[in-house]
Amino acid sequence: MTIGTADRRLDVAQSGMYDIYIEIDIDCEELVDACGLDYKRTEDDSTQNEICISLNSDEFEDVQHDCNFNYADEQSIGHYLLNHELGEYVTKVTIYKPNGNIISFS
């Protein structure tokens, strides 16, 4: 079953959580496995895996403060949320906010 953008927006609106989808190159799949992170292959690009991290509002505020979204890129967010090594493989970060807005870094 494919979960599209509309479904993701509805899910976060209902849960009140911030869902952060991190697309990461499949070349680092062994590192992702070693970290014990769950992932799945992206629907539209077979060279990418996707990791989902759900945060409550306080956790999201910490990320937003520490990463300073005005200056951040997808790799700096990957460094913060995953680790420095995995962050180097991050190609896109999409944040689904409970209010329906989407923030995307690529």
Side-chain angles (χ1 to χ4, degrees):
M1 181 174 128
T2 302
I3 297 178
T5 300
D7 293 329
R8 288 180 177 174
R9 283 181 160 178
L10 182 60
D11 288 346
V12 296
Q14 291 173 344
S15 71
M17 301 293 283
Y18 293 77
D19 283 351
I20 303 174
Y21 289 86
I22 301 168
E23 290 187 26
I24 192 164
D25 196 284
I26 61 169
D27 290 342
C28 69
E29 201 166 283
E30 288 182 18
L31 290 170
V32 176
D33 287 335
C35 291
L37 296 170
D38 292 329
Y39 61 90
K40 66 177 186 130
R41 189 86 61 214
T42 59
E43 300 288 331
D44 56 343
D45 186 348
S46 64
T47 68
Q48 302 292 303
N49 285 324
E50 184 176 68
I51 299 167
C52 179
I53 298 174
S54 295
L55 304 175
N56 65 33
S57 60
D58 291 335
E59 293 166 330
F60 180 75
E61 288 297 322
D62 289 343
V63 170
Q64 192 171 14
H65 177 265
D66 293 344
C67 288
N68 190 350
F69 289 171
N70 291 319
Y71 303 104
D73 64 8
E74 65 279 3
Q75 289 185 340
S76 63
I77 295 170
H79 291 159
Y80 184 82
L81 292 173
L82 303 173
N83 66 39
H84 186 75
E85 191 171 10
L86 287 175
E88 297 297 319
Y89 292 94
V90 172
T91 58
K92 183 177 181 182
V93 174
T94 306
I95 302 168
Y96 293 87
K97 298 172 68 175
N99 66 5
N101 288 339
I102 297 172
I103 303 170
S104 186
F105 301 87
S106 58

